Amino acid sequence: MSKQQKIKKQRTQTPLPPMNLRGFFRWLWHQLTSMNTALLLLLLVALAAIPGSILPQKTASLLRVKQWKENNPGLVKIFEQLGLFDVYGSFWFSAIYILLMISLIGCVIPRLKVYWQNLNEIPQKTPENITRFTGYQKINLKSNSYKSIQKVLKKQKWRLNISGNSLTAEKGYLREAGNLVFHASLILITIAVAFGALFNYRGTIIVKEGNGFANNLTQYDDFHAGKFFKEKSMPDFYFYLKNFEVDFERGLNQRGAPRGFVASISLENAGQVEDVDVLVNKPIEIDGTKIYLTGHGYAPRIEVKDKNNEIVFSDSVTFLPQDANFSSIGVIKIPDESPQIGINARFLPTAEIDPLNGPVSTFPGLDDPELFMSFWQGDLGVNEGTPQSIYRLETSNMVETGLEELKPGQTWKLDNGYSVTFQNVERFASFQISYDPAKGFALAGAIFAMLGMFFGLGIQRRRIFLKISTKSDKSVMELSGLSKSATHDVGLDINRLLVELKLAKPFKKDRNL
Amino acid sequence: MNSNSLSNLLVYFSILLSAINLVLFSVALSQNSKTSKTSRIAMNLTWLTGIFLGLALVLRGVAAQRAPWGNMYEFALASCFAIILSFLVISIRKDINWLGIFVIAPVLILLGLSVVVLYTESGPLVPALKSSWLLIHVTAAIISYGAFSINFGLSIIYLFKVKNKFKKLPSANRIDEFSYKVVLFAFPIWTFAVISGAIWAESAWGRYWGWDPKETWAFITWIIYAAYLHSRVTIGWKGKKSAWVGIIGYVAIIFNFFVINIWVTGLHSYAGV
């Protein structure tokens, strides 16, 4: 019976679940840890990962999720229920990988036990009939070479079971060790990921040039933390963004591509102040917490005065970049005026008028900055208590009372007495601050997984059977071999042994596949 | 002539050579002898193509003073080189001239796309790519892509072979076993590419795994080839079934390379297209 037929037979013979509860769980466990189930779960985890790479994900960009929902209102409800905007945190994705982990553990533990028990296992006894194995051959020997054969086999690191005139040599035991280390490492990585998710925190902040940031929860624009995260575990540092420098490609080739970002900060930690640069790919680390430079944008400084020439608003405003050339949108809300005031603005660092699309930015640097604004009066809708985006003006209860474009230094006087001055342009940098106490374990898991895989895939388990028969003064050696993996030719091992004993010539390399 | 345009010239020559080779390898496949003169000529021309592509890459590197895989054009070029190199390295030890057409055809398509769609003039890197991990992570990805491509070619041939096409080729069984060996080689390198990518992501973006579309598809690819290996060892899949798993794995790679890089917004958007 071939191996495949055997497997088929086993599969059709899987017993039905017994009627008692204990038997049922035993049956369930058996099913869950079977290789067919494991493969099915592997396939499912791959399939389940797909929608998260195509649909926008909350974990990556809330803004893009919102845009998608606006474009596809009919699907929102059902997609939301299925967790399709947070696939990797959804119940069904978790269910699949938890089942996969259980299956993995159920597979590794029994094998670990077997491996441990057979740590010093000696190969099985030589079968009676060795002619049916691979590479069978008979060779005439000089009288007492049996000892030297054993010596060579030991030198080639075979484990031997010698009984009288026959022996079995086996090697490749590290294959199983490698496989076990690999699979155990995958479990370690999963534990590290889960542990990290419980204790980590990750937040983003936007800091304008000349402004500072103190590491506490109120200062974050966006903050995610694990269930067991404690606020007092956050290191108590403060930094101040002195200067943000950015350099864009000016040549025709890849014009506008970023070439360098440097955020120069003054960092205060544990009573010490030092000046450091944060670069992309070069985060700084404070007590295990890392600060990364993740983005940047423009913050035009705008001043609004009322008809009595009193300042009602004066600040630099963070504008959200919309494209590679940094067309950016921003909003000013002045709720204390009556009626309330809102300004919808679009900032173009290098403004040009495109005949088709109107004003566009053609370069991300500040070559010819312009600010396009619309002035709104009415009810901002901020008093109802529903949270609003700071980048969006709710204009349904407002009236537009003016439109204007300004260059830095220019002032716009409106008919209603207000005036708006575009003073200058500042920059902001966005940083990510993150802490994951378990990432070292994940790395260790990854390294062990690689090592385990190296042994598990690279080493093959195989046996050589050998028999010596002596008639009068003539000795005859019979030998053959058995490989446990389809790709390994045990004939090569037999040949290597015979070459070492000077009984054969090395195989010519076969140029055929 | 500067090194950028010299590199372009070499790429055009490679395309020309590959087009000639495509004809030669198909003629050779239809002939009856196992290693015909035609296929030997094609093999020599493949060496020349490999050298040209290698030089083209080196010149791109010289022009930009960095590893020559900083945008999609260069990555595609490097992948073509890796595919051809894998083929040539195997050909030193085994007669695999018959595989030629299935190596040259995808290379020709990829080179054509590179020149027409992906081309960007050589330039400095965007800040996100300025890291020594570029060399480590991307090189591993390129090598495993090259090897997985060979597995793809072998899987296709296998499916023809079991329908009694290409009589003079090695037996279906041999092809099947060999394509398994190729995955045995490529899978650990792919694993290393994913792990080194995670280490780089940790130092660039503040997390080692974030389900960025590119990461997700690297994971999916890894899972498919892991399933390939497991199904062979534990439940005895081989032949047709394995060939199809190999093809599905390669579809995931192609999807990751083209669709994710160009149409899906993520952190790996360095296409420069």
Side-chain angles (χ1 to χ4, degrees):
Chain A
M1 201 172 359
S2 82
K3 201 175 167 190
Q4 234 168 348
Q5 281 170 321
K6 246 184 222 165
I7 287 158
K8 249 190 201 143
K9 204 168 166 207
Q10 275 168 8
R11 212 178 293 160
T12 49
Q13 279 174 349
T14 307
L16 288 169
M19 292 315 283
N20 64 46
L21 203 63
R22 207 177 143 210
F24 175 74
F25 278 114
R26 192 174 278 263
W27 173 83
L28 196 69
W29 176 252
H30 185 77
Q31 291 302 306
L32 189 59
T33 54
S34 79
M35 203 54 221
N36 284 326
T37 313
L39 276 170
L40 185 72
L41 288 169
L42 269 180
L43 183 78
L44 277 177
V45 96
L47 278 177
I50 294 176
S53 72
I54 294 162
L55 290 168
Q57 297 293 295
K58 283 177 188 166
T59 43
S61 163
L62 278 173
L63 194 77
R64 242 180 262 133
V65 173
K66 210 173 152 200
Q67 278 167 356
W68 193 92
K69 284 180 177 172
E70 277 161 16
N71 295 336
N72 306 277
L75 294 170
V76 170
K77 208 179 157 197
I78 183 152
F79 276 34
E80 191 71 67
Q81 274 169 351
L82 290 172
L84 286 173
F85 301 113
D86 184 15
V87 166
Y88 309 106
S90 71
F91 66 92
W92 46 275
F93 193 77
S94 316
I96 296 169
Y97 82 70
I98 289 171
L99 283 175
L100 188 62
M101 275 304 124
I102 294 173
S103 158
L104 191 57
I105 292 168
C107 169
V108 170
I109 288 177
R111 275 169 71 174
L112 202 64
K113 232 165 109 185
V114 171
Y115 189 79
W116 186 251
Q117 282 161 355
N118 301 340
L119 206 55
N120 294 313
E121 181 191 14
I122 35 170
Q124 58 162 225
K125 268 184 81 178
T126 321
E128 275 306 309
N129 176 11
I130 65 165
T131 57
R132 64 199 167 98
F133 296 108
T134 315
Y136 174 78
Q137 52 192 302
K138 263 183 176 174
I139 292 170
N140 291 325
L141 285 182
K142 282 176 220 146
S143 46
N144 52 26
S145 39
Y146 190 38
K147 278 273 176 297
S148 59
I149 291 170
Q150 291 175 19
K151 234 167 103 186
V152 169
L153 281 168
K154 273 180 193 151
K155 203 179 92 189
Q156 290 182 340
K157 302 227 161 65
W158 295 83
R159 272 191 209 178
L160 302 180
N161 181 355
I162 306 162
S163 65
N165 278 338
S166 63
L167 68 79
T168 306
E170 185 160 359
K171 79 194 274 190
Y173 291 85
L174 274 178
R175 179 188 178 84
E176 179 67 359
N179 279 331
L180 287 171
V181 168
F182 171 72
H183 287 95
S185 302
L186 290 189
I187 297 172
L188 175 65
I189 293 173
T190 314
I191 292 172
V193 170
F195 191 80
L198 290 175
F199 288 92
N200 73 348
Y201 71 84
R202 194 170 89 226
T204 50
I205 48 167
I206 285 177
V207 185
K208 291 179 279 193
E209 275 177 318
N211 285 28
F213 166 81
N215 190 30
N216 63 56
L217 281 184
T218 55
Q219 296 254 316
Y220 282 90
D221 296 308
D222 179 36
F223 192 82
H224 300 278
K227 279 204 174 64
F228 298 142
F229 158 79
K230 289 203 173 56
E231 196 184 339
K232 60 175 192 284
S233 68
M234 291 170 85
D236 197 16
F237 62 83
Y238 170 86
F239 71 81
Y240 162 82
L241 181 61
K242 291 187 299 183
N243 181 29
F244 182 73
E245 229 164 290
V246 50
D247 182 21
F248 297 107
E249 177 67 50
R250 293 237 162 234
L252 280 178
N253 170 36
Q254 295 182 15
R255 186 174 156 81
R259 288 299 174 231
F261 302 118
V262 185
S264 307
I265 64 170
S266 162
L267 178 71
E268 197 183 317
N269 180 37
Q272 292 202 323
V273 182
E274 56 171 337
D275 287 347
V276 275
D277 287 347
V278 189
L279 280 74
V280 179
N281 271 318
K282 271 205 188 113
I284 54 170
E285 188 167 346
I286 303 156
D287 304 334
T289 297
K290 281 184 164 182
I291 305 175
Y292 299 82
L293 177 62
T294 51
H296 67 108
Y298 291 105
R301 179 170 283 280
I302 296 162
E303 191 177 79
V304 182
K305 287 178 178 167
D306 66 9
K307 53 188 169 231
N308 304 324
N309 220 19
E310 272 179 40
I311 297 171
V312 292
F313 180 90
S314 177
D315 202 359
S316 53
V317 182
T318 347
F319 272 53
L320 202 63
Q322 301 291 296
D323 59 31
N325 283 326
F326 281 79
S327 299
S328 311
I329 52 161
V331 161
I332 296 170
K333 295 176 189 176
I334 313 174
D336 293 340
E337 287 296 287
S338 138
Q340 293 178 322
I341 293 172
I343 297 175
N344 241 339
R346 193 172 148 79
F347 173 73
L348 306 174
T350 302
E352 249 171 60
I353 306 294
D354 184 272
L356 233 71
N357 303 319
V360 288
S361 176
T362 53
F363 188 73
L366 288 171
D367 285 7
D368 184 14
E370 251 180 78
L371 193 63
F372 291 76
M373 289 177 287
S374 57
F375 197 95
W376 297 75
Q377 284 177 294
D379 181 8
L380 283 169
V382 288
N383 302 337
E384 278 115 65
T386 40
Q388 273 193 351
S389 164
I390 57 162
Y391 298 108
R392 199 184 159 92
L393 196 63
E394 189 52 64
T395 54
S396 50
N397 292 318
M398 300 191 92
V399 185
E400 196 182 54
T401 50
L403 265 172
E404 187 60 284
E405 50 188 274
L406 295 180
K407 285 182 191 292
Q410 291 182 334
T411 298
W412 168 31
K413 285 202 173 354
L414 283 96
D415 295 339
N416 55 21
Y418 286 100
S419 67
V420 181
T421 308
F422 174 19
Q423 293 175 310
N424 56 16
V425 189
E426 291 170 10
R427 290 180 198 272
F428 71 82
S430 48
F431 296 92
Q432 175 166 304
I433 296 183
S434 56
Y435 169 70
D436 181 347
K439 65 187 175 194
F441 291 99
L443 180 63
I447 291 169
F448 279 114
M450 278 301 311
L451 285 174
M453 181 187 284
F454 184 73
F455 288 107
L457 294 180
I459 293 175
Q460 318 297 337
R461 187 91 172 250
R462 68 268 195 193
R463 287 182 195 146
I464 294 178
F465 306 115
L466 196 144
K467 280 187 175 177
I468 309 269
S469 42
T470 317
K471 269 182 195 159
S472 57
D473 57 341
K474 264 190 186 168
S475 286
V476 176
M477 171 168 71
E478 290 173 89
L479 76 174
S480 63
L482 177 67
S483 167
K484 282 199 173 173
S485 57
T487 49
H488 183 77
D489 181 11
V490 72
L492 291 173
D493 293 301
I494 296 173
N495 179 251
R496 211 168 293 139
L497 173 67
L498 295 178
V499 169
E500 188 73 28
L501 292 165
K502 299 198 172 66
L503 293 168
K505 281 187 182 137
F507 276 157
K508 261 204 197 133
K509 293 235 161 74
D510 184 7
R511 284 197 50 86
N512 288 320
L513 206 61
Chain B
M1 192 187 280
N2 66 25
S3 46
N4 188 68
S5 34
L6 196 57
S7 166
N8 293 348
L9 196 65
L10 285 166
V11 172
Y12 292 141
F13 273 129
S14 307
I15 292 178
L16 186 69
L17 282 174
S18 301
I20 296 169
N21 262 341
L22 194 66
V23 177
L24 291 179
F25 275 126
S26 26
V27 169
L29 203 62
S30 63
Q31 286 168 338
N32 268 327
S33 71
K34 209 168 179 185
T35 45
S36 65
K37 206 173 172 187
T38 329
S39 79
R40 276 202 298 275
I41 294 171
M43 217 51 216
N44 287 334
L45 288 184
T46 310
W47 277 100
L48 200 59
T49 317
I51 292 166
F52 277 12
L53 272 181
L55 270 177
L57 271 177
V58 169
L59 285 170
R60 288 285 295 200
V62 169
Q65 302 275 308
R66 57 172 170 80
W69 33 80
N71 51 51
M72 235 182 125
Y73 170 72
E74 292 172 347
F75 189 76
L77 221 58
S79 299
C80 289
F81 177 67
I83 297 171
I84 291 191
L85 192 69
S86 320
F87 176 60
L88 291 173
V89 167
I90 298 168
S91 81
I92 295 173
R93 294 181 58 179
K94 302 277 176 191
D95 280 323
I96 49 159
N97 300 9
W98 44 269
L99 185 61
I101 184 167
F102 295 92
V103 172
I104 294 302
V107 164
L108 192 59
I109 294 169
L110 195 51
L111 278 180
L113 281 174
S114 310
V115 169
V116 178
V117 186
L118 305 175
Y119 182 76
T120 348
E121 215 171 288
S122 157
L125 288 174
V126 294
L129 291 179
K130 282 182 189 156
S131 164
S132 43
W133 287 107
L134 175 69
L135 197 63
I136 300 165
H137 166 64
V138 185
T139 308
I142 290 168
I143 294 173
S144 42
Y145 274 16
F148 282 135
S149 305
I150 300 288
N151 172 265
F152 174 70
L154 287 165
S155 301
I156 301 269
I157 289 188
Y158 179 87
L159 292 177
F160 277 114
K161 184 76 193 177
V162 286
K163 292 201 164 160
N164 278 324
K165 302 269 163 44
F166 307 133
K167 290 237 162 54
K168 66 177 171 126
L169 262 52
S171 72
N173 236 343
R174 280 299 178 89
I175 293 175
D176 178 51
E177 273 176 18
F178 189 65
S179 62
Y180 172 45
K181 281 184 185 166
V182 172
V183 176
L184 281 178
F185 166 79
F187 187 69
I189 300 176
W190 181 243
T191 310
F192 177 72
V194 174
I195 291 172
S196 60
I199 297 172
W200 187 6
E202 199 279 323
S203 78
W205 301 324
R207 83 288 183 291
Y208 56 86
W209 194 267
W211 296 107
D212 179 66
K214 192 97 190 168
E215 292 172 352
T216 304
W217 280 89
F219 171 78
I220 292 170
T221 308
W222 191 84
I223 291 282
I224 296 171
Y225 285 106
Y228 178 100
L229 293 177
H230 277 96
S231 62
R232 283 195 83 110
V233 176
T234 55
I235 58 169
W237 278 23
K238 53 196 243 174
K240 252 187 185 169
K241 284 178 180 166
S242 284
W244 278 111
V245 180
I247 289 170
I248 293 168
Y250 200 66
V251 169
I253 288 177
I254 295 294
F255 188 83
N256 203 356
F257 186 68
F258 284 104
V259 180
I260 298 292
N261 273 21
I262 298 177
W263 285 286
V264 180
T265 328
L267 292 167
H268 280 79
S269 305
Y270 308 120
V273 180

